[in-house]
Every structure is written in structure tokens, then in C-alpha cells.
């Protein structure tokens, strides 16, 4: 399989966005539900300004979408498939014999996508 420059131009910026730990916390916090910013703040423990900044980056990258519901703005995953992709990546990393450089604790994430989805829905 050949990795064309066009593919690199798409995947590298996406991985940079997803490589920020707080953004991953926000995505996992959303799970399969649309949530208002206050729920995301409570789920992640991040400050409101921090959550707003990361939501803007995630929205501009196409990972989340915003929906106005009355006076509130709810954020949802743009495509629920993203959670499956992230959980598959975690499972793949967990199964590796050689740890990825820079990853300190790979055991802190769920290995089973079903339990991970259930965990995300509880938030």
C-alpha cells in the first residue's frame, strides 16, 4: 500500500489535533451523546475557557459539531465512527509487544470497545 502525499496532508493534521490529551478527554466525555459545555466541563474537570478552546479546535477539524438547543449549545461527535477508531487504536496499542515511545500508562484506557462505549455513555 502506497502512502500518497495527499493522504499525509489529511492524516498528519488530524493526528496532531487528536494528539492533545484534553481533546481526547473531551471526545471520550462526549461519547455517543450530544452534551452542553457544562456537562463536558464536569466530565473532564477542565476549566470552561480550556474546554471552549479545545471544542473550537475539534469543531474546526471536523471531529465535533455544535447544535443550538434553546439558549444552550450542545456538542456532538461529527461521526460516531470516530469512537470505534479510537478504541481500535487503543486495543492495537495494548496488544503490541513493544510500547510506543512517549506513552506512559497504556493500561489506563479500556481494552474492550463495548465497555469503553458504556463508560463514555455514563459520563
Amino acid at each position: 500500500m502506497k502512502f500518497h502525499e495527499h493522504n499525509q496532508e489529511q492524516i498528519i493534521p488530524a493526528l496532531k489535533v487528536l494528539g492533545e490529551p484534553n481533546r481526547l478527554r473531551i471526545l471520550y466525555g462526549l461519547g455517543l451523546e450530544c452534551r452542553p459545555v457544562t456537562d463536558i466541563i464536569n466530565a473532564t474537570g477542565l476549566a470552561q475557557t480550556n474546554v471552549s478552546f479545545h471544542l473550537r479546535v475539534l469543531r474546526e477539524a471536523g471531529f465535533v459539531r455544535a447544535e443550538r438547543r434553546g439558549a444552550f449549545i450542545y456538542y456532538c461527535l461529527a461521526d460516531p465512527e470516530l469512537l470505534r477508531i479510537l478504541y481500535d487504536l487503543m486495543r492495537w496499542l495494548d496488544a503490541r509487544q513493544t510500547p510506543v515511545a512517549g506513552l506512559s500508562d497504556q493500561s489506563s484506557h479500556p481494552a474492550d470497545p463495548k465497555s469503553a462505549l458504556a463508560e463514555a455513555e455514563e459520563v
Side-chain angles (χ1 to χ4, degrees), residues 41-84:
I41 291 167
N42 292 333
T44 61
L46 299 171
Q48 188 271 328
T49 53
N50 205 357
V51 168
S52 294
F53 169 77
H54 290 300
L55 283 170
R56 181 179 55 80
V57 172
L58 289 166
R59 190 182 69 244
E60 289 173 356
F63 291 114
V64 299
R65 61 184 166 78
E67 291 181 3
R68 179 165 292 281
R69 296 182 186 176
F72 299 97
I73 296 179
Y74 280 65
Y75 286 87
C76 320
L77 289 178
D79 184 350
E81 182 74 5
L82 177 59
L83 276 184
R84 188 197 58 78

Side-chain angles (χ1 to χ4, degrees), residues 33-47:
E33 301 292 323
C34 294
R35 300 184 190 278
V37 175
T38 54
D39 283 4
I40 298 168
I41 291 167
N42 292 333
T44 61
L46 299 171

